[in-house]
């Protein structure tokens, strides 16, 4: 079993931090329950028990001795699992790409994806392009994202066309926007700004998620702490639309004001300190092979064994990203993009 994690990160302000600060050790979990009720905010909860998604279970549960990393970039001990041995995504049909990337994952199915970072080109070092593909034999393209150049705050465009990352293009599907400090992020779909709302507001953009990184004013070096806020699900297991009329009505403000109607709070699973490897560790069940401060798992506090999303490094510019109900691809990809952004106050 290959696992990875996050050891104390060094202070940094850019995407180029040394990500190799961590080590690996299995952590087993046994709890199994129906997670759908965790995300229900409107209507009656689902009837009956459904098969829980398998994100919290490993494909091979055979415990092995811990693997250690040398904590030097590029020198970490590589997993012996070959690419072919890594469990691929189940057969996922993507007939309509725009519809698929906004649709919540089906209950009981883990959507396994791969994120690649392209730094080639004149300004790609500062503004890399990120691509999301299904991690299966066909490597189906899902999304591309890139930071906009002339924005006061970090602003990433997300597109369903890898060659068209323009705000005005018809392939624009969503965006990720940060605050000035780079500690809070909001994910929007491609709807209109509230200033350009039609009579019934049906064209106004929805907020799909928000991410908050805990600021680190004392300089304590430890694992990153993330809070993820998402819209709740109704009784038909559909996302409740959150269309703020102004900045005071968005997911971040609702969360800050503890107005959690139709809103769900998630957080990253706290890694456990391991004395033997002298690092913080998490179990990624073979999906993450390189130590990195960016590796994380998102869970609900009521069921920390149900992995809503996990993200982690498998090569210098390649990462796996797996998500489960109730997230969709745009939500998960945008949350992953936020982890690449340089956060001065969070390290």
């Amino acid at each position: 079993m290959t696992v990875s994690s996050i050891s104390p990160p060094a202070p940094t302000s850019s995407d180029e931090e040394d990500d190799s600060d961590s080590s690996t050790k299995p952590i087993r979990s046994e709890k199994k329950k129906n997670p759908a009720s965790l995300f229900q905010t409107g209507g009656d909860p689902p009837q009956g028990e459904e098969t829980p998604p398998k994100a919290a279970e490993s494909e091979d549960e055979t415990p092995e001795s811990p693997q250690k990393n040398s904590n030097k970039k590029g020198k970490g001990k590589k997993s012996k699992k070959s690419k072919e041995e890594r469990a691929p995504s189940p057969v996922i049909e993507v007939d309509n790409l725009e519809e698929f990337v906004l649709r919540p994952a089906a209950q009981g199915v883990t959507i396994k994806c791969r994120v690649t970072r392209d730094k080639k080109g004149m300004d790609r070092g500062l503004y890399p392009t990120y691509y999301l593909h299904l991690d299966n034999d066909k490597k189906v393209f899902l999304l591309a994202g890139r930071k906009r150049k002339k924005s006061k705050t970090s602003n990433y465009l997300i597109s369903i066309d890898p060659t068209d990352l323009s705000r005005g293009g018809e392939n624009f599907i969503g965006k990720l926007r940060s605050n000035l400090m780079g500690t809070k992020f909001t994910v929007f779909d491609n709807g209109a700004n509230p200033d350009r709302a039609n009579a019934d507001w049906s064209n106004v953009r929805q907020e799909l998620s928000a991410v908050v990184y805990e600021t680190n004013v004392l300089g304590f070096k430890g694992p990153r702490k993330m809070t993820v806020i998402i819209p709740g699900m109704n009784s038909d297991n559909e996302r409740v639309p959150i269309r703020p009329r102004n900045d005071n009505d968005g997911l971040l403000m609702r969360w800050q004001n503890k107005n959690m109607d139709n809103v769900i709070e998630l957080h990253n699973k706290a890694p456990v300190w391991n004395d033997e490897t002298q690092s913080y560790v998490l179990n990624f069940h073979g999906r993450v092979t390189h130590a990195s401060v960016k590796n994380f798992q998102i869970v609900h506090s009521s069921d920390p064994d149900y992995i809503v999303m996990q993200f982690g490094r498998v090569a210098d510019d390649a990462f796996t990203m797996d998500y489960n109900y109730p997230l969709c691809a745009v939500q998960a990809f945008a949350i992953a993009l936020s982890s690449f952004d340089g956060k001065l106050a969070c390290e």
Side-chain angles (χ1 to χ4, degrees), residues 151-199:
S151 295
K152 292 178 183 175
T153 63
S154 293
N155 202 319
Y156 292 79
L157 288 181
I158 300 172
S159 170
I160 51 173
D161 183 339
T163 66
D164 177 15
L165 282 156
S166 61
R167 175 70 179 82
E170 60 183 25
N171 297 299
F172 169 67
I173 194 79
K175 73 174 182 178
L176 171 74
R177 187 181 71 192
S178 83
N179 64 349
L180 281 169
M181 289 277 287
T183 56
K184 296 176 181 176
F185 295 79
T186 303
V187 184
F188 301 93
D189 70 3
N190 58 359
N193 187 296
D195 296 340
R196 297 188 290 276
N198 59 15

Side-chain angles (χ1 to χ4, degrees), residues 236-256:
D236 294 325
N237 296 319
E238 295 171 341
R239 197 165 42 244
V240 177
I242 303 287
R243 287 192 173 93
R245 293 179 174 248
N246 54 59
D247 287 342
N248 295 321
D249 190 32
L251 288 171
L252 284 170
M253 288 303 293
R254 294 185 191 199
W255 173 75
Q256 285 173 209

Side-chain angles (χ1 to χ4, degrees), residues 68-320:
K68 296 180 184 177
N69 282 17
S70 65
N71 285 341
K72 290 181 183 172
K73 189 153 190 172
K75 304 286 185 186
K77 195 172 187 181
K78 299 230 173 127
S79 163
K80 290 181 182 173
K81 272 186 175 240
S82 70
K83 197 157 83 172
E84 288 71 37
E85 288 180 277
R86 226 173 356 104
S89 183
V91 177
I92 306 291
E93 295 298 329
V94 186
D95 295 329
N96 181 324
L97 184 55
E98 182 172 1
E99 185 183 295
F100 176 83
V101 297
L102 288 168
R103 188 170 62 230
Q107 292 181 42
V109 176
T110 299
I111 311 291
K112 297 182 178 180
C113 305
R114 190 175 181 91
V115 175
T116 50
R117 175 172 56 187
D118 179 8
K119 296 180 183 173
K120 299 183 182 74
M122 263 176 57
D123 58 0
R124 292 279 178 91
L126 289 173
Y127 300 97
T129 302
Y130 300 90
Y131 300 102
L132 181 72
H133 292 79
L134 283 179
D135 196 5
N136 58 14
D137 291 339
K138 294 183 179 177
K139 302 284 187 289
V140 178
F141 168 80
L142 297 178
L143 293 165
R146 194 176 189 209
K147 196 173 187 174
R148 296 184 75 181
K149 295 176 185 175
K150 295 178 181 176
S151 295
K152 292 178 183 175
T153 63
S154 293
N155 202 319
Y156 292 79
L157 288 181
I158 300 172
S159 170
I160 51 173
D161 183 339
T163 66
D164 177 15
L165 282 156
S166 61
R167 175 70 179 82
E170 60 183 25
N171 297 299
F172 169 67
I173 194 79
K175 73 174 182 178
L176 171 74
R177 187 181 71 192
S178 83
N179 64 349
L180 281 169
M181 289 277 287
T183 56
K184 296 176 181 176
F185 295 79
T186 303
V187 184
F188 301 93
D189 70 3
N190 58 359
N193 187 296
D195 296 340
R196 297 188 290 276
N198 59 15
D200 62 359
W201 283 74
S202 61
N203 68 328
V204 170
R205 65 190 181 196
Q206 292 185 43
E207 288 193 7
L208 300 178
S209 179
V211 187
V212 179
Y213 289 86
E214 186 174 303
T215 54
N216 191 350
V217 290
L218 298 177
F220 169 74
K221 293 174 187 165
R224 288 176 169 181
K225 290 184 179 176
M226 302 166 64
T227 299
V228 174
I229 306 117
I230 58 172
M233 308 298 281
N234 65 20
S235 55
D236 294 325
N237 296 319
E238 295 171 341
R239 197 165 42 244
V240 177
I242 303 287
R243 287 192 173 93
R245 293 179 174 248
N246 54 59
D247 287 342
N248 295 321
D249 190 32
L251 288 171
L252 284 170
M253 288 303 293
R254 294 185 191 199
W255 173 75
Q256 285 173 209
N257 295 330
K258 296 183 168 52
N259 172 18
M260 301 300 284
D261 291 344
N262 293 325
V263 175
I264 302 293
E265 177 181 333
L266 307 171
H267 56 85
N268 64 314
K269 190 169 187 173
V272 179
W273 179 257
N274 179 265
D275 281 332
E276 184 183 344
T277 59
Q278 288 294 294
S279 62
Y280 291 93
V281 296
L282 275 175
N283 189 355
F284 287 89
H285 301 294
R287 293 287 290 157
V288 175
T289 57
H290 283 47
S292 172
V293 296
K294 293 188 180 76
N295 298 349
F296 65 81
Q297 293 175 321
I298 300 297
V299 296
H300 192 291
S301 58
S302 297
D303 185 0
D305 291 327
Y306 178 64
I307 307 298
V308 179
M309 171 189 175
Q310 70 178 25
F311 177 78
R313 180 184 289 277
V314 292
D316 280 353
D317 289 305
F319 307 80
T320 53

